[in-house]
Amino acid sequence: ARTTRMETRVVHGMLTASLISGVLGCKLPGPGCLYLNQTSNFRAPVKLGDTVTARVVLKELRPEKNFAEFETSCHVGDTLVVDGSALLWVPSRS
């Protein structure tokens, strides 16, 4: 790892991005949702031992299709390491 561009070991970007899936799958928007799409832009490396905070913010509801779109991000402290979006199908409540 010392001979790479990062000069140290780093966490695979998809492991960091998977934290977003954990938030959406376990916390928001709730049981029965289907993950349709996720985009991820990798902005900075995550190093071993870093604490990563995943955030999702509801951007848009499309009730005609039961879609919910979210802005997504992961931070290490104040540093943005991943950003993007996610689209979920949300079952209607009857």
Side-chain angles (χ1 to χ4, degrees):
R2 280 188 288 271
T3 63
T4 68
R5 178 179 176 192
M6 299 299 166
E7 299 177 345
T8 188
R9 296 187 298 172
V10 295
V11 175
H12 194 289
M14 287 307 295
L15 180 59
T16 304
S18 74
L19 298 173
I20 295 165
S21 177
V23 172
L24 291 169
C26 296
K27 301 291 182 187
L28 290 172
C33 296
L34 296 176
Y35 218 126
L36 301 175
N37 187 6
Q38 179 176 339
T39 62
S40 298
N41 304 299
F42 302 99
R43 304 298 184 183
V46 175
K47 297 177 182 169
L48 299 178
D50 283 350
T51 298
V52 179
T53 302
R55 296 185 179 125
V56 299
V57 176
L58 179 62
K59 180 179 177 182
E60 181 180 2
L61 286 174
R62 297 185 224 159
E64 70 283 356
K65 293 193 174 193
N66 290 4
F67 287 170
E69 186 175 352
F70 296 87
E71 293 178 356
T72 61
S73 64
C74 291
H75 292 80
V76 173
D78 292 332
T79 303
L80 176 67
V81 295
V82 177
D83 68 358
S85 63
L87 182 65
L88 280 78
W89 177 85
V90 181
S92 58
R93 295 183 179 176
S94 13

